[in-house]
Amino acid sequence: MMNRRMIPVAAATLIAISACTRHPGGAAGEKPKVFGAALISVSGEKQVGGVGGQLDQPLVVQVNDAQGAAVAGALVCFAGSRGVIVTPDHGITGSDGQFSANVSLGEASGHYQILVSTPVASGPSAQIRIDEIALGYQEMLGAKLNEIYCIRCHDSESTPERVSNHDNLNAKPHAFTEGSVLNAMSDADLVAITSHGGAALNKSAEMPPYGNMLTKSEIAALVAFMRAVADPPYPTQGVFYASN
Amino acid sequence: MSSRGRIASTWKYLFGDSAKAFGTLSLALLVLLAIVPARDYFREWLGFQKQYLRLISRRSDAASLGRRFQSGLQQVWLPEIGVVDRCTTCHVGLKEASLVDVKAQPFRPHPQTPHSLTEFGCVLCHRGQGTATTVEEAHSSTKSWEEPILPARYLESACGQCHLKLLTGTPRLNQGRRLLAQYGCVRCHTIKTPEGVTMTGADDPPSLEHIGEKTTREWIAAWLKNPQAYAGSATMPNFQLPDEDIRDISAFLIAQSTPYKTEKPLGAATAPSQDDAAVQQGSSLYGESFCASCHAMQNAAGILVGGNLGPELTRVGSKVKTDWLADWLRNPSVYDRDTAMPHYRLDSKQITLLLGFLGSKADSDFIGNTHLDTATPAQIEHGKTVVLERGCAACHEINGVKRPDNFAPELTLVGSRPLAKILFAPGVAHTLPDYIAAKIRQPRSFGNALKMPQFTLADQQVDALVTALLAQTGRAQTLPATLRVPARRPTDYHPAGRAGQLIEDMRCFSCHSINGRGGDMAPDLTWEGTSVRRAWLVDFLKNPNTLRPALIRRMPKFNVTDAEANTLADYIMTVYQTPEFDGDAIDASRFTATEVQSGKELFYGKYACQSCHIVDSKNDKGYIGPTLTQVGTRLSAAWMFHWLKNAQSLRPGTQEPVWKMNDEDARAITAFLAAQQGAPGRKAAP
């Protein structure tokens, strides 16, 4: 099983390496002057967006040398597939050692992996894999309902427009991304707790019942959304491996 | 042997005598007859069906999948909506939820949507050619068929063909429709929804009839050069005008400007001070007046903070004349009758402070390089010509220039515009979505003489606009009206009498909705009279304190007089009553101590209301809902009782869940809440 899963990854690696060696001869100013040793993801990872659409934030990666200092002028290549488009798909890091690109997701809902690589002075190129999440209609409906009804308590992060109520509660609500907890719960349990409140499953009554307010399909959409954003991924969601 | 000889001998060999000729012809006929079934055998779709059978044979539920598989050409035929779709011939696993792990097409199951394949078919949403039975013909555009498969990024446009009412699950479509109104697209382009309603703008472009009183010619010129340099959030597009045109338009606009009132502007009572202390005081007043509920400003870090109901004020000091601003702050409707800005009833001292603060929000770089000589009559005349050519009056009122009709092409059917009628710019892929996106992104790439200006839009906004425009299909017009989910249209409600005048004067509708008219920033007030107690309402109107501590946008203080507050309270208490129940039906004074105690237990125990509300400001922390420390003085007992049973029916869209509480519980919690009278003389928790 593991072997079969590794094949596309290996293929992607080869393609990425060949891409990285193919491009430098091209346009002026794209030739890597410097080589780094490692790649890190700065921002834009694990974003959630609609199928086929462009993610709100660019994907930002940084090339570091062996000492962990940022490397300017290094080549970075992206490889995504099954409809994932990274623009530009390669480029040279700026003075801060970073390079950013926009990501458009594929046409099916699920997790998409993007392979990022940078050539290293000797030996195989350094790589990281970055996950992004595409939501289909049902999951997107869940995402929007989450923004209306759930996020204020279930997300501990506050924004200027939305102050979190998470820390005011005795039983701390689980973030919907908390796959380690939510993946173990059945769809039926999640539907029950959303419809009838925490007390229905002998959990905190601080979770109110939404079954009188949301329709069955809306609650199913919320569960679909939780499954879509779970980290680690919910088993049946699957991961699209980067390949060409 | 010569070639002629060879043909002759072959002829003789095949057709030399009647038996040979008969045999040869029979063989040829047999081959011809065999081609038909052979072609059929090698059909693409048959290959996919065989692949599918191999795929399911390896699965644990092969037997049940196999039972549901139907071989041969499949077709969904829905004459009512004009659907003849054979897509299911190859997309055999669309309805098989158990194939969830299959990601390869054409076998991927269809994701959950509210509509079924058997009701709507495929092409209604996905486009493409439903009757085709080859991959190429069904998905790509061909000469005879111009509708290729719609890319998923624009898929929500399909929903927009029937759903004219806001749909929670289609954020991209919603955003696109909002942008069409917000960026004033619909002021030049007529767009009719399938209901036949013409879309209207939501951008409120200012009248320029008195522009000379408000700002200078230099500012107009700098703004025309690049509106986004003045305010990054400005929705006015860049018309990419040559410098002479900018010089002449600004000359014309100043020349056509008339005074907006007969007397001279009153100006500030005392000259506004720009010293730090005064600016600081003005800044505090700006904060206390909750100007930021509607207006945004860049903070020190360059981040835009505040609402977008009114214009951004980051550089307002470089724009407006002090005398005009003083008059505007005194009463905005004198200058602009239809403004959304309320009449604040500020006193002269407050106006001076705000003038000082807003005046300090200047950017000398913005106008710095603009030097204009006195305009000549020829320049003014040319300015008017350019104004007419560019269609400025499609958005702005200008003296002596009529609003042009149908200034730009109508877009009602743009979502099914035939490609043959489209002139593509070089480098644009030949599909309708790519064409529309390129047009929005860089209109002038289609020709320098085109009038459409350059908008400043993020990629996601362009996607949203394309999605909304693609929903404008010919099919949407011809679908049965029963499928249509009509838009909620605002009513033309106008409250009557003296209170009605006050409600209009304070622009309550800019934020609140009443009887189907108004904004959604603040609670709907249609049944406010049943909800609140009169004494509290009068106090609140005079000094609105914050009910929801976590909100940024808050009700400003309008400095109303006692008489005005009483007039409003009388009207609201009498007119804004729900017909569902009597607000006085439950007498709060008759609750027993036992009921209060049991209500308290239910509040903190069974229903855990403290998750979202604060009653005891020392121990409770929840701040999703309003603070309830003095809710007994604010709400009627009957309202609370019904709210606990079904808040959504009283105020649709409220965050309060529908509890469907039994009468006993609802009555007990109402008793507990009615007992929350707050400490005398103490304000609610901030």
Side-chain angles (χ1 to χ4, degrees):
Chain A
M1 187 62 203
M2 201 54 216
N3 271 344
R4 190 179 291 169
R5 285 179 60 172
M6 289 309 290
I7 292 168
V9 179
T13 313
L14 281 172
I15 288 155
I17 293 167
S18 65
C20 264
T21 46
R22 185 154 29 96
H23 287 301
E30 282 189 356
K31 203 177 174 67
K33 305 174 189 75
V34 203
F35 294 99
L39 264 170
I40 54 168
S41 155
V42 178
S43 66
E45 197 172 356
K46 296 215 168 93
Q47 284 186 77
V48 176
V51 285
Q54 185 175 320
L55 291 171
D56 286 343
Q57 302 299 322
L59 176 57
V60 184
V61 294
Q62 181 177 326
V63 177
N64 283 347
D65 62 17
Q67 282 72 45
V71 176
L75 178 71
V76 176
C77 288
F78 299 95
S81 90
R82 296 222 187 223
V84 172
I85 302 164
V86 188
T87 31
D89 64 356
H90 69 282
I92 302 290
T93 56
S95 56
D96 52 359
Q98 296 183 356
F99 184 72
S100 73
N102 287 317
V103 178
S104 284
L105 298 166
E107 308 232 327
S109 61
H111 288 238
Y112 287 87
Q113 216 169 49
I114 296 164
L115 188 77
V116 193
S117 60
T118 185
V120 172
S122 61
S125 61
Q127 303 181 348
I128 47 170
R129 290 186 184 83
I130 284 175
D131 256 25
E132 307 288 5
I133 300 162
L135 304 181
Y137 175 81
Q138 196 192 24
E139 295 100 357
M140 184 55 89
L141 174 62
K144 293 294 142 190
L145 292 168
N146 165 52
E147 281 172 23
I148 302 171
Y149 300 108
C150 321
I151 198 166
R152 295 274 299 275
C153 291
H154 281 274
D155 186 347
S156 56
E157 296 283 317
S158 288
T159 66
E161 294 285 319
R162 191 193 72 231
V163 182
S164 171
N165 195 43
H166 180 270
D167 294 344
N168 298 327
L169 302 169
N170 289 325
K172 301 293 177 237
H174 295 294
F176 289 172
T177 48
E178 234 177 277
S180 53
V181 177
L182 297 184
N183 288 354
M185 292 176 75
S186 67
D187 284 6
D189 277 357
L190 289 173
V191 168
I193 202 167
T194 313
S195 306
H196 305 301
L201 291 190
N202 285 328
K203 291 177 183 282
S204 171
E206 286 171 309
M207 165 74 197
Y210 284 93
N212 298 319
M213 183 145 101
L214 300 179
T215 62
K216 282 199 176 94
S217 61
E218 285 174 326
I219 291 174
L222 271 169
V223 173
F225 171 68
M226 291 176 214
R227 298 312 195 194
V229 296
D231 180 21
Y234 188 64
T236 63
Q237 282 299 314
V239 174
F240 289 102
Y241 284 99
S243 64
N244 270 346
Chain B
M1 196 188 282
S2 72
S3 65
R4 180 183 291 252
R6 205 181 300 141
I7 290 170
S9 76
T10 313
W11 179 261
K12 197 175 171 205
Y13 178 70
L14 291 175
F15 301 101
D17 57 52
S18 57
K20 271 184 179 170
F22 180 74
T24 309
L25 283 173
S26 307
L27 207 67
L29 195 65
L30 200 68
V31 169
L32 273 172
L33 285 173
I35 286 175
V36 180
R39 268 188 61 186
D40 209 39
Y41 181 79
F42 290 110
R43 270 181 205 283
E44 214 177 4
W45 57 265
L46 210 56
F48 285 123
Q49 292 192 347
K50 282 178 198 147
Q51 266 185 46
Y52 178 75
L53 287 173
R54 274 200 299 280
L55 175 94
I56 60 172
S57 68
R58 293 194 296 264
R59 302 179 68 91
S60 56
D61 54 350
S64 59
L65 285 169
R67 257 198 310 280
R68 284 193 294 273
F69 168 75
Q70 288 176 309
S71 62
L73 267 178
Q74 302 298 313
Q75 177 171 291
V76 180
W77 180 44
L78 303 165
E80 288 270 292
I81 51 176
V83 163
V84 184
D85 288 352
R86 298 180 177 148
C87 316
T88 43
T89 306
C90 297
H91 294 275
V92 256
L94 280 182
K95 291 182 189 166
E96 302 296 352
S98 77
L99 298 179
V100 63
D101 57 307
V102 176
K103 304 289 186 192
Q105 287 291 38
F107 306 130
R108 199 190 289 160
H110 196 276
Q112 280 288 326
T113 59
H115 299 308
S116 79
L117 183 68
T118 33
E119 265 179 299
F120 290 94
C122 309
V123 296
L124 210 56
C125 299
H126 292 280
R127 304 198 174 193
Q129 185 170 359
T131 45
T133 50
T134 67
V135 175
E136 176 69 20
E137 276 181 14
H139 299 82
S140 313
S141 65
T142 63
K143 269 188 190 141
S144 53
W145 184 268
E146 294 197 314
E147 261 189 12
I149 289 286
L150 189 64
R153 85 167 42 195
Y154 308 118
L155 201 48
E156 287 174 15
S157 69
C159 315
Q161 297 179 105
C162 297
H163 291 270
L164 304 166
K165 194 176 152 191
L166 207 64
L167 200 60
T168 314
T170 57
R172 217 171 285 162
L173 172 69
N174 303 346
Q175 186 194 10
R177 284 183 171 161
R178 208 165 47 235
L179 289 171
L180 285 175
Q182 234 170 40
Y183 278 79
C185 311
V186 294
R187 293 185 186 275
C188 289
H189 298 279
T190 302
I191 307 180
K192 290 195 193 114
T193 70
E195 288 179 287
V197 179
T198 306
M199 291 190 198
T200 51
D203 49 343
D204 195 19
S207 157
L208 306 181
E209 288 164 298
H210 319 296
I211 186 75
E213 313 270 297
K214 180 179 178 180
T215 186
T216 60
R217 191 180 156 203
E218 282 71 24
W219 182 86
I220 298 175
W223 164 262
L224 284 171
K225 182 99 190 140
N226 183 4
Q228 279 66 38
Y230 170 76
S233 65
T235 52
M236 164 122 165
N238 189 332
F239 283 78
Q240 301 177 320
L241 297 160
D243 285 350
E244 310 83 75
D245 286 3
I246 289 177
R247 179 194 66 201
D248 298 350
I249 293 176
S250 62
F252 168 67
L253 288 178
I254 295 292
Q256 62 82 44
S257 172
T258 55
Y260 64 96
K261 51 193 248 186
T262 43
E263 70 267 41
K264 261 175 74 79
L266 284 169
T270 49
S273 164
Q274 296 276 358
D275 72 57
D276 287 353
V279 167
Q280 192 51 49
Q281 266 183 294
S283 167
S284 304
L285 182 59
Y286 180 89
E288 287 160 21
S289 307
F290 296 118
C291 305
S293 294
C294 298
H295 296 281
M297 272 188 192
Q298 268 179 23
N299 63 14
I303 295 166
L304 205 58
V305 180
N308 63 359
L309 209 56
E312 180 185 334
L313 299 179
T314 308
R315 297 181 181 85
V316 69
S318 305
K319 175 182 179 184
V320 296
K321 295 180 174 173
T322 310
D323 278 353
W324 176 87
L325 184 56
D327 266 16
W328 174 263
L329 290 169
R330 198 167 279 117
N331 188 357
S333 64
V334 175
Y335 179 81
D336 178 1
R337 215 181 35 212
D338 302 321
T339 181
M341 168 127 162
H343 178 194
Y344 265 82
R345 297 155 164 78
L346 299 161
D347 64 25
S348 297
K349 189 166 163 268
Q350 291 173 311
I351 289 176
T352 309
L353 285 174
L354 284 173
L355 287 177
F357 170 63
L358 294 173
S360 76
K361 291 281 156 193
D363 179 356
S364 53
D365 290 348
F366 179 62
I367 303 186
N369 297 325
T370 313
H371 301 290
L372 297 165
D373 297 324
T374 315
T376 65
Q379 287 173 355
I380 294 174
E381 198 48 43
H382 177 243
K384 184 173 183 177
T385 313
V386 182
V387 162
L388 282 165
E389 271 171 10
R390 297 283 171 172
C392 307
C395 294
H396 301 280
E397 279 120 38
I398 301 169
N399 293 310
V401 183
K402 260 178 57 188
R403 186 179 189 282
D405 289 327
N406 300 323
F407 187 71
E410 179 168 343
L411 299 181
T412 301
L413 296 174
V414 67
S416 42
R417 184 173 290 181
L419 293 188
K421 287 191 180 170
I422 292 175
L423 209 60
F424 283 91
V428 177
H430 281 228
T431 74
L432 186 60
D434 285 302
Y435 165 74
I436 299 176
K439 250 321 210 187
I440 297 171
R441 213 170 262 133
Q442 283 220 309
R444 301 282 166 88
S445 66
F446 288 78
N448 273 328
L450 292 185
K451 288 173 190 166
M452 176 148 161
Q454 178 69 48
F455 287 84
T456 306
L457 296 163
D459 288 350
Q460 289 85 354
Q461 289 176 309
V462 175
D463 281 357
L465 280 166
V466 175
T467 304
L469 289 172
L470 285 173
Q472 294 296 128
T473 59
R475 195 192 277 272
Q477 310 275 339
T478 56
L479 284 170
T482 46
L483 287 178
R484 218 165 272 154
V485 186
R488 190 178 289 154
R489 249 166 287 152
T491 61
D492 191 26
Y493 168 68
H494 285 279
R498 173 82 188 115
Q501 281 170 12
L502 282 169
I503 287 171
E504 300 284 2
D505 190 46
M506 290 193 279
R507 297 292 190 271
C508 303
F509 291 113
S510 292
C511 302
H512 294 279
S513 238
I514 305 174
N515 289 328
R517 174 191 164 198
D520 59 359
M521 198 201 287
D524 189 298
L525 301 180
T526 308
W527 293 340
E528 187 70 359
T530 317
S531 166
V532 299
R533 291 172 182 275
R534 192 182 182 285
W536 174 87
L537 182 59
V538 172
D539 270 2
F540 184 80
L541 289 167
K542 288 199 296 194
N543 190 15
N545 49 22
T546 297
L547 291 173
R548 291 169 183 78
L551 290 189
I552 294 185
R553 309 201 200 304
R554 294 179 186 175
M555 168 113 160
K557 189 176 167 184
F558 292 115
N559 308 303
V560 293
T561 63
D562 284 356
E564 286 173 331
N566 277 300
T567 305
L568 277 171
D570 281 341
Y571 188 82
I572 292 170
M573 297 308 292
T574 316
V575 178
Y576 298 146
Q577 291 282 345
T578 168
E580 300 295 316
F581 59 91
D582 177 0
D584 301 325
I586 301 176
D587 183 353
S589 65
R590 296 178 70 170
F591 288 126
T592 64
T594 327
E595 278 176 314
V596 172
Q597 182 55 35
S598 118
K600 183 176 183 177
E601 281 158 20
L602 290 166
F603 184 94
Y604 285 106
K606 184 172 174 188
Y607 296 103
C609 311
Q610 76 281 9
S611 317
C612 296
H613 296 281
I614 293 169
V615 164
D616 170 359
S617 51
K618 284 208 185 66
N619 298 317
D620 303 344
K621 294 184 215 144
Y623 49 40
I624 302 262
T627 303
L628 303 176
T629 45
Q630 0 184 3
V631 69
T633 65
R634 179 164 72 92
L635 297 177
S636 73
W639 179 267
M640 290 192 274
F641 177 82
H642 287 278
W643 184 266
L644 290 166
K645 292 179 85 69
N646 188 348
Q648 288 295 323
S649 71
L650 298 181
R651 196 170 281 157
T654 179
Q655 294 255 300
E656 178 86 52
V658 176
W659 292 97
K660 292 246 171 98
M661 248 179 228
N662 61 49
D663 285 4
E664 198 184 330
D665 285 6
R667 193 175 153 83
I669 295 182
T670 303
F672 171 63
L673 292 176
Q676 304 307 317
Q677 299 281 328
R682 207 176 123 242
K683 278 172 94 181

